[in-house]
């Protein structure tokens, strides 16, 4: 079996301290959230449904600090993986 590199995606990036990156490793998804407020948080999901469940709670309208368009763009970028 050939050694295939993992697919890396930047979901959003506001600056060098506020971003959300996703690395797809087959059915495993590693999501790294970096913020100037909390530092770096890493989440590992087995499959997209688990990741989307987390994303819908993390980016809930009442918790999201940004516009509705930004929130929808983040969720759409995650769905498109």
């Amino acid at each position: 079996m050939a050694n295939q590199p993992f697919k890396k995606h930047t979901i959003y990036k506001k600056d060098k301290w506020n971003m959300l990156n996703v690395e797809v490793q087959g059915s495993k998804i590693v999501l790294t959230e970096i913020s100037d407020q909390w530092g770096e948080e890493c989440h590992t999901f087995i499959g997209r449904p688990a990741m989307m469940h987390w994303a819908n709670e993390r980016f809930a309208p009442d918790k999201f600090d940004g516009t509705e368009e930004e929130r929808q763009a983040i969720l759409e970028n995650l769905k498109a993986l």
Side-chain angles (χ1 to χ4, degrees):
M1 178 183 249
N3 188 11
Q4 297 178 352
F6 300 129
K7 294 182 182 177
K8 295 181 182 183
H9 306 273
T10 299
I11 302 304
Y12 74 83
K13 183 174 182 172
K14 293 184 180 179
D15 53 36
K16 68 178 184 175
W17 298 111
N18 294 285
M19 64 184 78
L20 182 67
N21 296 311
V22 176
E23 189 173 289
V24 179
Q25 304 173 355
S27 64
K28 185 169 101 173
I29 300 168
V30 179
L31 185 144
T32 306
E33 187 174 16
I34 302 169
S35 80
D36 56 1
Q37 192 173 25
W38 303 299
E40 184 175 317
E41 289 186 55
C42 188
H43 307 278
T44 302
F45 303 100
I46 304 300
R48 285 171 175 76
M51 178 191 65
M52 289 309 299
H53 176 75
W54 172 86
N56 285 318
E57 293 201 6
R58 166 63 179 86
F59 298 106
D62 58 330
K63 297 178 185 176
F64 185 68
D65 185 27
T67 67
E68 179 61 19
E69 291 78 20
E70 290 172 327
R71 188 182 84 80
Q72 286 298 325
I74 291 168
L75 293 174
E76 288 300 318
N77 286 340
L78 288 169
K79 285 179 190 175
L81 293 177

